[in-house]
């Protein structure tokens, strides 16, 4: 590296995978007291994908990772680190990332999971950014993979309509350039005092498995939808403004916003607050619902494939998730 160049962390490959099985709003109408009209107008969701019995987060993540590696033209043996962002890991341990590493035969990669729920991908991206910009590693695979259908309470109409399964992945490469490209900055936050807004109360560390019968509902998503909605809009717009200001950029410079796909009305409220026209926002929530940590990398992959992201474009990612966690990333493609 000479005096005029610096290390950048650039996305050079994207990939995604969603299970074949589609669960439509009409299907849900048969199981719970809801309607297609309510779900579409309150959330923007028409259908979501549901993993088969054999499809765990590592299986979905593996498909997405292979697609991202192919897109990047990279061999798995060249990957230095695999980060799987998930809140539905295959097992308590080892990390889901280790199963992906095994299947890819990524022989020299470190592998671990990041648990930041829906914010996971932006958290993972932030970690990769640091390793690449410091010069420590050259190639990092960041995967968001979820089987939310396994932790959804199918009797709870306020949550089961929202979530879906899927995986998205990106390959990041360290490059030496004069002008900053790739991940310009990431901004991640948390507020644990809001942990009960969205949570899965069951687990192992707090209660163990020795205290008698297990209540399956404790292993499902509990959510205070309304309160979450309000905090989501506030935090996502705040952190988007921060990302732009940090890089000395105005909203007008943004080519495409790729927001976390939790609720169409949240996306609309955030982009309205930021005065970003709807045409500059990538939305696929109607097809997949909220796929948690997989939501942004799936959307990124689709946006690229649809020609919505080109070289030199300024792309803004933003997210909020359980924890509470939130974050944003600004990318120069
Ligand atoms: O990834 C980040 C985490 N999650 C989120 O960001 C989710 C944020 N929250 C939301 O997306 C929304 O709050 C929901 C979609 C979950 C709910 O929408 P809402 O407009 O906030 O509805 P609400 O909870 O205020 O409920 C309004 C009414 C209630 O009936 P009453 O009490 O007014 O008679 C609910 O029982 O809608 C009812 N309702 C439903 N009705 C038909 C709740 N769920 C349903 C449903 N079908 N599926």
């Amino acid at each position: 590296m000479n005096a005029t160049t610096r290390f950048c962390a650039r996305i050079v490959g994207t990939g995604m995978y969603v299970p074949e099985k589609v669960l439509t709003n009409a299907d849900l109408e048969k199981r719970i007291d809801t309607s297609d009209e309510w779900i579409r107008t309150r959330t923007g969701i028409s259908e979501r994908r549901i993993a088969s019995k054999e499809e765990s987060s590592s299986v979905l993540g593996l498909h997405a990772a292979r697609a991202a590696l192919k897109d990047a033209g990279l061999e798995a043996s060249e990957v230095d680190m695999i980060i799987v962002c998930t809140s539905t890991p295959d097992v308590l341990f080892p990390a889901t990332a280790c199963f992906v590493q095994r299947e890819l035969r990524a022989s020299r990669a470190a592998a671990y999971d990041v648990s930041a729920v829906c914010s996971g991908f932006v958290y993972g991206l932030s970690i990769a950014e640091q390793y690449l910009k410091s010069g420590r590693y050259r190639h990092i695979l960041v995967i968001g993979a979820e089987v939310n259908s396994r932790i959804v309470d199918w009797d709870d109409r306020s949550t089961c309509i929202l979530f879906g399964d899927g995986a998205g992945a990106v390959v990041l490469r360290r490059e030496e350039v004069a002008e900053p490209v790739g991940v310009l900055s990431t901004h991640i936050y948390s507020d644990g005092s809001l942990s009960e807004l969205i949570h899965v109360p069951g687990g192992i560390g707090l209660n163990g498995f020795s205290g008698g019968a297990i209540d399956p509902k404790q292993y499902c998503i509990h959510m205070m939808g309304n309160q979450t909605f309000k905090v989501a809009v506030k935090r996502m717009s705040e952190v988007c403004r921060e990302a732009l200001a940090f890089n000395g950029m105005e909203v007008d410079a943004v080519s495409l916003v790729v927001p976390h796909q939790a609720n169409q009305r949240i996306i609309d409220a955030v982009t309205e607050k930021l005065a970003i026209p709807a045409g500059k926002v990538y939305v696929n929530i109607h097809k997949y619902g909220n796929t948690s940590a997989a939501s942004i990398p799936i959307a990124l992959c689709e946006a690229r494939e649809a020609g919505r992201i080109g070289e030199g474009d300024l792309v803004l990612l933003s997210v909020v998730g359980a924890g509470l966690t939130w974050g944003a990333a600004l990318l120069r493609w």
Side-chain angles (χ1 to χ4, degrees), residues 254-261 264 266-268 270-272 274-284 303 308 316 318:
V254 174
S255 320
L256 190 71
V257 182
V258 181
H260 172 47
Q261 314 280 316
Q264 178 73 55
I266 294 179
I267 296 172
D268 293 343
V270 171
T271 47
E272 194 179 310
L274 296 168
I276 294 177
K280 281 190 173 184
V281 185
Y282 191 80
V283 176
N284 63 7
R308 298 278 305 271
L316 178 61
S318 71

Side-chain angles (χ1 to χ4, degrees), residues 11 13-17 63-64 67-68 71 121 167-170 256 258 282 284 287-288 294-309 315 317 333:
I11 294 178
T14 57
M16 64 173 278
Y17 178 81
H63 285 300
D71 187 37
F121 180 75
V170 299
L256 190 71
V258 181
Y282 191 80
N284 63 7
K287 295 192 286 185
Y288 308 125
S295 137
I296 289 180
I298 288 176
L300 260 184
C301 180
E302 279 197 348
R304 264 198 72 215
E305 286 174 1
R308 298 278 305 271
I309 304 177
V315 180
L317 317 180
W333 209 267

Side-chain angles (χ1 to χ4, degrees), residues 235-244 270 274 316-318 328:
R235 292 308 194 186
M236 278 170 80
S237 35
E238 227 173 60
V239 76
C240 283
R241 283 203 188 93
E242 180 187 321
L244 288 166
V270 171
L274 296 168
L316 178 61
L317 317 180
S318 71

Side-chain angles (χ1 to χ4, degrees), residues 79-83 109-112 127 131 137 139-142:
V79 173
D80 299 304
M81 180 179 280
I82 299 170
I83 303 172
Y112 57 95
I127 297 167
Y131 274 107
Y137 286 130
H139 293 114
I140 299 183
L141 190 53
V142 182

Side-chain angles (χ1 to χ4, degrees), residues 33-35 38-39 42-43 118 157-158 161-162 198 223 225-226 228-229 232 260 262-263 265-266 290 320-321:
D33 180 15
T34 191
S35 69
W38 192 96
I39 301 172
R42 296 291 182 117
T43 71
C118 297
R157 68 175 181 172
S158 67
I161 55 147
L162 292 174
I198 324 171
M223 187 175 77
N226 235 298
T228 306
F229 190 104
H260 172 47
N263 185 318
R265 290 186 298 130
I266 294 179
N290 181 348
V320 73

Side-chain angles (χ1 to χ4, degrees), residues 27-296:
D27 297 328
L28 285 169
E29 279 177 349
K30 293 177 202 141
R31 296 162 75 149
I32 48 165
D33 180 15
T34 191
S35 69
D36 171 52
E37 208 258 332
W38 192 96
I39 301 172
R40 275 190 294 103
T41 51
R42 296 291 182 117
T43 71
I45 301 166
S46 297
E47 57 187 47
R48 66 289 290 144
R49 300 299 179 99
I50 304 294
S52 68
K53 258 173 100 179
E54 294 73 33
E55 287 175 320
S56 62
S57 288
S58 74
V59 173
L60 303 186
L62 180 64
H63 285 300
R66 285 199 170 123
L69 287 169
K70 188 168 178 226
D71 187 37
L74 194 75
E75 294 298 326
S77 57
E78 296 175 85
V79 173
D80 299 304
M81 180 179 280
I82 299 170
I83 303 172
V84 172
C85 313
T86 186
S87 39
T88 49
D90 287 16
V91 292
L92 269 180
F93 70 78
T96 301
C98 292
F99 299 132
V100 175
Q101 182 276 337
R102 179 187 68 199
E103 297 306 310
L104 287 176
R105 299 201 181 105
S107 50
R108 73 156 189 246
Y112 57 95
D113 293 355
V114 164
S115 169
V117 202
C118 297
S119 305
F121 180 75
V122 173
Y123 267 63
L125 197 66
S126 181
I127 297 167
E129 177 197 9
Q130 312 311 317
Y131 274 107
L132 297 171
K133 286 187 176 174
S134 70
R136 178 72 180 84
Y137 286 130
R138 186 150 170 75
H139 293 114
I140 299 183
L141 190 53
V142 182
I143 303 165
E146 304 280 11
V147 283
N148 287 318
S149 59
R150 306 255 160 82
I151 55 163
V152 152
D153 178 352
W154 291 103
D155 297 325
D156 177 4
R157 68 175 181 172
S158 67
T159 52
C160 75
I161 55 147
L162 292 174
F163 295 95
D165 302 337
V170 299
V171 174
L172 289 122
R173 174 185 294 150
R174 186 188 75 214
E175 290 185 0
E176 282 168 42
V177 284
E179 289 299 316
V181 289
V183 183
L184 301 182
S185 65
T186 51
H187 307 261
I188 54 174
Y189 292 99
S190 69
D191 181 355
S193 72
L194 299 177
S195 60
E196 289 192 2
L197 284 187
I198 324 171
H199 67 140
V200 175
I204 185 84
L206 200 55
N207 302 318
F209 283 135
S210 56
I214 290 171
D215 174 5
K217 299 270 186 211
Q218 294 297 301
Y219 290 82
C220 291
I221 300 171
H222 295 233
M223 187 175 77
M224 299 183 208
N226 235 298
Q227 292 94 315
T228 306
F229 190 104
K230 287 178 199 145
V231 192
V233 173
K234 182 174 183 293
R235 292 308 194 186
M236 278 170 80
S237 35
E238 227 173 60
V239 76
C240 283
R241 283 203 188 93
E242 180 187 321
L244 288 166
F246 182 85
N247 291 282
M249 291 187 189
E250 299 293 333
V251 161
D252 291 354
V254 174
S255 320
L256 190 71
V257 182
V258 181
H260 172 47
Q261 314 280 316
N263 185 318
Q264 178 73 55
R265 290 186 298 130
I266 294 179
I267 296 172
D268 293 343
V270 171
T271 47
E272 194 179 310
K273 265 174 173 276
L274 296 168
I276 294 177
K280 281 190 173 184
V281 185
Y282 191 80
V283 176
N284 63 7
I285 191 169
H286 52 290
K287 295 192 286 185
Y288 308 125
N290 181 348
T291 56
S292 201
S295 137
I296 289 180

